[in-house]
Amino acid sequence: MTIIAVFNQKGGVGKTTTTANLAAAMARNGLNPLAIDLDPQAHLTSMSGVKLPATKTAVGFFQNHTPLSDLVVQLPNQVNLIPSHMELARIDMMLGNNRRDLRVLKKAMAEEMLSSSDTPVLIDCCPMLGVLSLSALIAADVVLVPVTAEYLAMNGAQQLDQTLNGLTAQGLYRPRKVFINRYQRGHTTSEKVLHELTRRYGRDFCRTRVFESQSVLEGVGNNQDVFSYAPDSEGAEDFGFLLDELIETGFIKVNL
């Protein structure tokens, strides 16, 4: 399966809702996904209704070398989650920006056979380009970039281009897919951003548009993914289509 880092250096673009809803779409298709919350803000963990002491979260992995498999929590929607905690921010500052620390997550995933298993892994990254985000990008096979239909979000995508180019220069090429999030049909800004993303990213830009959706927002407020909250909604349909496209284009590899 594929390890996917969901990342953009612009905050508020929907990284957490993308991770939660893509993982839910995978679970509905019998893919047994694992979501890892590597954002110290722990929004994915909070959205999932999980409350655990720091040592039972990703903090335990980085601080106490707790095996990743010992930190997994199964959610009601059949998504497996390694939760986060605000103490992860201290870990990010304590870890060194050296090759050994940056590769500890990749090494652990290989040793626990997560990187070669039938389990797709989604890593919800924080927007700050620190040790945690770099660790996720190094551990990942591919990078999925949500870009909201606004100009500032495109700037974040441009910054990510520079980061990925830097990794490539170090022999760490990571394929990427960019998709437009919170798109509003007929809205002038949405249409301009859509045109620019299509021009800039070409084949790396997803055909699927994830529309602005009240059901997605309400699901978050109820600690639910959109498939659990409103399975027949346009929001659920959009994330289902997004998963289909990522699989059909080979961006996400599945064992059928």
Side-chain angles (χ1 to χ4, degrees), residues 24-223:
M26 291 175 177
R28 287 171 64 88
N29 282 275
L31 295 179
N32 192 35
L34 170 65
I36 303 176
D37 190 351
L38 273 194
D39 189 343
Q41 297 178 88
H43 290 319
L44 180 62
T45 301
S46 176
M47 176 183 169
S48 303
V50 175
K51 294 182 180 180
L52 290 170
T55 56
K56 298 295 185 181
T57 71
V59 173
F61 167 73
F62 287 102
Q63 183 173 275
N64 304 323
H65 309 292
T66 304
L68 294 170
S69 55
D70 289 352
L71 300 171
V72 173
V73 176
Q74 188 172 69
L75 304 179
N77 62 359
Q78 303 307 303
V79 171
N80 295 302
L81 172 70
I82 294 179
S84 182
H85 191 279
M86 62 182 181
E87 287 292 313
L88 204 56
R90 299 176 69 178
I91 300 296
D92 198 40
M93 292 185 289
M94 289 168 56
L95 289 173
N97 198 18
N98 58 64
R99 186 178 294 268
R100 180 179 176 183
D101 284 342
L102 292 177
R103 291 178 176 272
V104 66
L105 179 62
K106 181 181 181 67
K107 182 174 182 288
M109 295 182 81
E111 289 176 347
E112 297 188 45
M113 295 187 292
L114 289 172
S115 57
S116 59
S117 71
D118 291 340
T119 298
V121 181
L122 297 109
I123 307 175
D124 186 18
C125 303
C126 64
M128 183 180 72
L129 190 61
V131 174
L132 292 172
S133 291
L134 283 171
S135 296
L137 291 171
I138 289 171
D141 299 310
V142 296
V143 183
L144 181 63
V145 187
V147 179
T148 46
E150 58 175 19
Y151 296 114
L152 290 178
M154 285 201 304
N155 291 338
Q158 281 184 293
Q159 292 172 3
L160 177 63
D161 292 345
Q162 297 173 4
T163 300
L164 294 181
N165 289 339
L167 290 174
T168 299
Q170 298 177 45
L172 295 167
Y173 169 71
R174 296 292 179 269
R176 68 181 172 203
K177 281 285 188 183
V178 178
F179 77 94
I180 193 166
N181 193 26
R182 299 176 189 161
Y183 173 80
Q184 297 180 61
R185 186 182 290 107
H187 191 278
T188 301
T189 300
S190 286
E191 297 299 338
K192 287 183 177 179
V193 171
L194 175 64
H195 176 77
E196 177 59 21
L197 291 174
T198 302
R199 183 195 68 80
R200 179 180 297 168
Y201 293 109
R203 291 183 178 180
D204 292 335
F205 183 61
C206 293
R207 300 185 309 274
T208 302
R209 307 172 194 179
V210 176
F211 288 82
E212 183 78 44
S213 171
Q214 192 64 31
S215 58
V216 171
L217 295 175
E218 290 176 357
V220 172
N222 286 275
N223 294 334

